[in-house]
Structures are given as structure tokens and as C-alpha cells.
């Protein structure tokens, strides 16, 4: 499958490694340009491109940049993507350490709703609470007892299924975490954030989340 990855840091780099190893045709972009991604391209066989090019023809696009950088992504980012493209948002709002104040999120808008408004396309929220290292090391065959599970939230059922299937290929179970309006259940500060348990444990963690944003996760 053609996959575009926008952001080549901890998460984008490791998704590039694993998805390329699985045989997917991966294009990867950062902010400084493809000439700065030659080492990753050589290591993985992925194609280094500009952010504006990354989505071209892609059936899956992963947006994995710091939240504050989402606004700096090129306009028309998803122009030229496959008609049924699933866009994965891995982002988290870190107002104090990184992103500064984003008023709409402070006022209660789920973080991924904000991101989809910025990029002008619906998103599926996944990987946001997964340690980057886990993507490389924790994948296990389907059916393995205790297989790590990732919550996946989003409104488009077909796109969500495509993302869940891809995560299964990467070696993880998934839990349907509902629509994007419910996606606060997996934001920073919730019980499932950074959770490494199996599907049953992840379901329980999602159910026990509180909608209130705690002070350390406010600007
Ligand atoms: N680290 C984790 O374990 C982890 C886990 C789950 C979720 N997340 C979330 O996932 C997102 C990415 O995290 P990360 O740790 O992978 O970030 P990171 O290591 O800081 O990497 C960010 C990447 O985004 C690129 N970028 C920044 N602005 C861009 C732009 N305008 N156009 C294209 N690329 C741009 C950067 O490119 P340059 O280097 O060229 O600037 C860099 O490759 C964040 O929202 C984070 O909270 C992180």
C-alpha cells in the first residue's frame, strides 16, 4: 500500500522503518526537506519527499508532527491523495513543554478535532499514546496472549478499519475507542495514555477516563 508519513521524528521514523519492512511503499517528509532524510531513506528503502508531496497517491497518510507544527503544514496537504485515504493523527497537545496555548483545545475541543480542522480532512486518532520504541519492539503475531493493544478513534468507519488492519499488520491489537468526539479518552493525562496492556485492559482504561483536562495538561 502507498503510505505517506509527514514527520520523520520518533514516531514517523519508526513507522517508516516498520511499514517499509512490511513491504509498503512509504514516502516520508520532514520540515527541512528530503535532502535531510537520506540516511532514513537508505536504511529503510522509503522515498524522502517534501511534505506537499507525501500524500500523493497515498491510501494512508500519517500526520506525526508536533501539534504546534500542524498549522505550518502546506495548504492542500491531502490534494492528490487516494480518494479513500485514511489520515492518521498521532498528535498530542503539550501546551507547557512544546505547543503553547491553543484556545480551542483549552476550551474543550478534542485535540484531533482541532487537527482535522487545521488540515481540512477527517482524521483517525491512533498511536498518540504509544511509545515510539514500542512500535519497533513490541509487535507480536495475532493471537499472542497479552498482545499490546492500541485505541483507535474516528468517525469514518472504513478509514478506521483500514487503520486497525494496518496496526494489526504492525503486530498490535486495537480497541475501537469510538468517534472523534470520544477521543479525549485517549489524550495525555488519561489512564490509557502510555498504556502497554492488552485489549481488555485498554478497554477498561478508556472507560475509566475523566473528561476533565487536568492542570498539568493546560497552558
Ligand atoms: N515520541 C513519542 O514517543 C510519541 C508517542 C506518541 C505520540 N507522539 C506525538 O506524535 C507527534 C510527533 O511526535 P515525535 O516524538 O515523533 O516528534 P519529533 O521526534 O519531534 O519529530 C517531529 C517531526 O515533525 C517534523 N516536522 C515539524 N514541522 C513540520 C512541518 N511543518 N512539515 C513537515 N514536517 C514537520 C520534524 O521535521 P524537522 O526535524 O525537519 O523539523 C520531525 O521530523 C507529536 O504530536 C507527539 O506528541 C509522540
Amino acid at each position: 500500500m502507498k503510505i505517506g508519513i509527514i514527520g520523520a521524528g520518533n514516531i514517523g521514523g519508526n513507522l517508516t522503518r516498520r511499514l517499509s519492512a512490511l513491504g509498503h511503499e512509504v514516502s516520508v517528509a520532514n520540515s527541512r526537506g528530503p535532502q535531510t532524510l537520506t540516511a532514513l531513506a537508505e536504511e529503510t528503502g522509503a522515498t524522502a519527499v517534501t511534505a506537499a508531496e507525501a500524500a500523493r497517491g497515498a491510501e494512508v497518510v500519517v500526520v506525526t508532527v508536533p501539534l504546534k507544527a500542524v498549522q505550518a503544514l502546506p495548504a492542500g496537504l491531502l490534494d492528490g491523495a487516494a480518494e479513500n485515504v485514511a489520515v492518521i493523527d498521532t498528535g498530542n497537545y503539550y501546551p507547557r513543554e512544546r505547543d503553547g496555548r491553543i484556545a480551542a483545545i483549552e476550551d474543550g475541543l478534542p485535540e484531533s478535532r482541532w487537527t482535522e480542522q487545521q488540515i481540512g480532512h477527517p482524521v483517525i486518532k491512533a498511536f498518540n499514546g504509544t511509545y515510539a520504541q514500542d512500535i519497533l519492539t513490541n509487535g507480536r503475531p495475532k493471537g499472542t496472549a497479552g498482545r499490546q493493544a492500541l485505541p483507535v478513534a474516528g468517525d469514518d468507519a472504513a478509514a478506521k478499519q483500514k487503520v486497525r488492519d494496518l496496526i494489526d499488520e504492525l503486530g498490535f491489537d486495537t480497541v475501537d475507542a469510538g468517534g472523534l468526539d470520544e477521543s479525549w479518552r485517549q489524550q495525555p493525562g488519561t489512564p490509557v495514555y502510555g498504556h502497554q496492556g492488552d485489549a481488555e485492559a485498554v478497554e477498561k482504561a478508556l472507560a475509566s477516563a475523566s473528561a476533565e483536562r487536568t492542570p498539568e495538561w493546560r497552558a
Side-chain angles (χ1 to χ4, degrees), residues 2-6 27 49-61 76-82 85:
K2 246 183 148 168
I3 300 176
I5 300 183
I6 300 168
S27 292
V49 295
T50 64
E53 289 163 341
R56 255 178 228 165
E59 282 182 60
V60 171
V61 170
L77 187 69
L78 293 155
D79 294 356
V85 64

Side-chain angles (χ1 to χ4, degrees), residues 2 10 20-21 30 33 40-41 56 59 70 116 122 135 139 143 157 201 207 217:
K2 246 183 148 168
N10 299 302
S20 299
N30 65 4
L40 183 63
R56 255 178 228 165
E59 282 182 60
V70 168
E116 70 176 13
I135 292 169
W217 295 102

